[in-house]
Amino acid sequence: MSVSYSGVTKSFGGRLVLDDISDIVNEGELTALLGPSGSGKSTLLRIIAGLTPLDSGRVSLAGRDVTNTPARDRHIGFCFQDYAPFRHLSLRENVAYGLKVQHVARAQRREQVDELLRLVRLEEFADQYPHQLSGGQRQRMALARALAIKPDVLLLDEPFAALDAQVRAELRSWVRTLQQEVGITTILVTHDQVEAMEIADRLVILNSGRIEQAGRPSFVYDHPATDFVASFLGPITSFGGISYRPHELEIVALGDGAESATVSEVIRLGFEVRVVLAGDDGTSTWVQLTHDQAKHLNPGVGQRYGIRVRSSKARKDAPLSSNVDAPR
Amino acid sequence: MTRPSIVLRSLVIFYVGALLALPLGFVFQQALSHGWNQFWFALHDHAMDLAIELSLKVVILAVPLNVLFGVGVSMWIVRHPSPLSRFIDVIIDIPLAISPIIVGLILELAYAQNGWFGSVFAATGLRIMFSYPAIVLASVFVSLPLVSRQVIPLLREVGDHQEQTAATLGAKPSRIFFTITMRSIAWAAAYGVTLTLARVLGEYGAVLIVSGNIALITQTLTLNIGANFESFNAYQGFVGALLLALVSVIVLVFIGVARHRLERKRHVSFV
């Protein structure tokens, strides 16, 4: 089911948190609301769920206006960052909660809960209580509980933020697979751009209550509409007064029409090697090399090289900063 | 064992002994000093039995009232904060801060036949002062914050994410309250109930003033004990005191259990 909102405005105690936000989320898509903390992304998610009232604007599900519909009638699954397990209920009872509310018959309820527990791979923990589960298991329980009512839309607030790195990476791809299997329209809030780029069909980048840019991850990465988006989605460096992604530049032998510069630092991060160079005009630029490129070139501090824009990149005639003046 | 800890232990034992164990032991000793037959006879003292009956009647009404109010006001203060609810949060402790005698006087001022509300009730033929309603009123007043002071911190700690999740799953507010909220605060409320029970049974000053302390009619067990001592019927007073002390011990055990459960719940919730 598609989700759309228009003119959404919200302030808390005189502070404007969302400023006239509008967007459409297509059916079956996974959209990531990406932005730094305080950008208003979680508030937007809560407004879509009906958990926070908005000051002005409209929210629609599949074209039906739900702005004044209470959360319990919106049929939207919502997962909190802390998973909000019902502490006094077993895992099975947690997942069954929504079905009980809908007065699903006991036998049928049990069947559906078993199926959901299989789906989130928690069958063997069915009779355990939330405090006996790990963070990742609690997160999967929260997902199963939300999916139990077969919601039209799934909303996830920072679903992986409270997990350690390894579990997070696993769950991320698992959630993506699950979302595609179930085919449910999903909106996910995150402040982690790598997570958003990996998991989402579409990014909506928020900054201080406004949408900076929305679009496919690869497109937004290559064609950021603003400086904020460019620097938020990945590293940028300045070369000849223009912003570039550090991997769009290359280091070559002196001459050959390249700007000459002196290596001031080499940072080796495994596969990635960062070479920081000081230009003759005093500006600092850094260039990202692969491990193999660095091995081949073997740059050392104090050595002099030329910097130029990689010829294979279309970026050469469309540098990042050419978009800086685009409307916000 | 280190020296300071020996000193500290001795001090605590001495303090508790002198303040608690010795007087309590004295009550037991005195109440049973005339043998079991006399004790059995004293238990069937007409005035005391009526006083016990009245005390129980007061408890039966005052405790549920306090639970309803305590849980309700806690929900309001924590889940719907407003300047007014914050103000209530502060003034709700007043009954603990002012002397019960003053509470009694305030209530008498307000509810006496010629008082502010008293005249209104008097017009309908309902008499508040020096009767059962006045005693309940005074009891509820002095124990006002006992439930909410237990429930408020727990409500804050649990947060509202569980309740909001239940709402997105289609649950109505009443269902959310009984299946989620009440389940989280049940032990805190139970602890508040035992505190209220102990306070209501033991209340003297406020009840003394508003009840008029009329033997056989508006005399609670505590008042009856006091009256017996004043009329040089100390033995009967000790028997009443023993009963009250026994009830307190039972209540204390309940408090211990409730607190233990509560702490375990809190501990568990943060694993």
Side-chain angles (χ1 to χ4, degrees), chain B residues 4 31 51 58 67 69-70 72 95 101 130 134 154 185-186 191 200 206 211 213 226 266:
Chain B
V58 171
V67 171
F69 173 81
I101 298 277
F130 312 125
L154 195 66
I185 59 172
Y191 186 35
V200 168
S211 70
N213 195 10
R266 283 186 176 175

Side-chain angles (χ1 to χ4, degrees), chain A residues 2 8 13 22 38 40 51 75 124 141 143-144 158 187 193 212 215 224-226 241 246 257 260 295 306-307 325:
Chain A
S2 69
V8 171
S22 305
L51 295 173
H75 218 59
E124 61 203 285
M141 181 224 76
L143 267 171
E158 297 271 7
I187 305 176
Q193 78 284 358
E212 295 265 341
T226 66
S260 52
K295 202 169 179 183
I307 307 175
D325 293 323

Side-chain angles (χ1 to χ4, degrees), chain B residues 69-102:
Chain B
F69 173 81
V71 172
V73 87
S74 304
M75 290 289 288
W76 184 45
I77 288 170
V78 178
R79 295 286 185 258
H80 307 281
S82 66
L84 183 63
S85 75
R86 272 186 282 273
F87 177 67
I88 296 286
D89 191 16
V90 174
I91 66 162
I92 204 171
D93 280 338
I94 282 180
L96 290 185
I98 58 178
S99 159
I101 298 277
I102 315 253

Side-chain angles (χ1 to χ4, degrees), chain B residues 9 15-16 36 47 50 55-56 67 90 92 96 113 120 145 150 153 158 160 187 210 212-213 260:
Chain B
R9 269 178 191 227
Y15 198 77
V16 171
W36 290 102
L50 282 178
S55 276
L56 290 179
V67 171
V90 174
I92 204 171
L96 290 185
Q113 297 281 41
V120 179
Q150 301 305 316
V158 170
D160 57 4
W187 280 107
V210 302
N213 195 10
H260 176 72

Side-chain angles (χ1 to χ4, degrees), chain B residues 11-252:
Chain B
L11 249 159
V12 168
I13 288 169
F14 176 75
Y15 198 77
V16 171
L19 277 175
L20 223 80
L22 219 64
L24 211 63
F26 186 66
V27 167
F28 273 74
Q29 190 254 322
Q30 285 295 311
L32 301 170
S33 60
H34 295 352
W36 290 102
N37 274 342
Q38 273 293 327
F39 180 71
W40 188 248
F41 185 73
L43 276 184
H44 291 84
D45 177 75
H46 186 53
M48 193 179 83
D49 288 355
L50 282 178
I52 291 172
E53 198 184 317
L54 180 63
S55 276
L56 290 179
K57 276 183 185 163
V58 171
V59 163
I60 276 171
L61 193 59
V63 171
L65 273 178
N66 209 358
V67 171
L68 280 179
F69 173 81
V71 172
V73 87
S74 304
M75 290 289 288
W76 184 45
I77 288 170
V78 178
R79 295 286 185 258
H80 307 281
S82 66
L84 183 63
S85 75
R86 272 186 282 273
F87 177 67
I88 296 286
D89 191 16
V90 174
I91 66 162
I92 204 171
D93 280 338
I94 282 180
L96 290 185
I98 58 178
S99 159
I101 298 277
I102 315 253
V103 173
L105 289 174
I106 294 171
L107 289 175
E108 189 171 351
L109 258 176
Y111 288 97
Q113 297 281 41
N114 52 357
W116 308 323
F117 314 122
S119 49
V120 179
F121 285 111
T124 67
L126 196 71
R127 195 186 138 117
I128 304 278
M129 262 302 129
F130 312 125
S131 65
Y132 172 68
I135 302 171
V136 172
L137 215 60
S139 304
V140 169
F141 196 106
V142 295
S143 53
L144 198 67
L146 295 178
V147 171
S148 58
R149 279 288 158 258
Q150 301 305 316
V151 171
I152 286 173
L154 195 66
L155 269 182
R156 288 223 168 93
E157 189 187 291
V158 170
D160 57 4
H161 285 180
Q162 291 182 55
E163 291 161 10
Q164 291 183 344
T165 300
T168 64
L169 294 173
K172 288 196 187 75
S174 58
R175 189 187 191 106
I176 296 172
F177 179 77
F178 288 111
T179 59
I180 308 293
T181 316
M182 215 41 217
R183 293 292 295 268
S184 336
I185 59 172
W187 280 107
Y191 186 35
V193 163
T194 51
L195 290 175
T196 306
L197 190 74
R199 181 75 210 257
V200 168
L201 274 180
E203 178 51 34
Y204 189 82
V207 170
L208 178 69
I209 290 177
V210 302
S211 70
N213 195 10
I214 310 159
L216 309 178
I217 299 172
T218 65
Q219 207 169 55
T220 62
L221 181 55
T222 341
L223 294 181
N224 176 261
I225 294 167
N228 277 327
F229 277 111
E230 276 166 16
S231 56
F232 305 104
N233 191 2
Y235 176 68
Q236 186 65 41
F238 277 121
V239 172
L242 176 65
L243 286 182
L244 211 53
L246 282 177
V247 172
S248 301
V249 168
I250 294 168
V251 168
L252 263 174

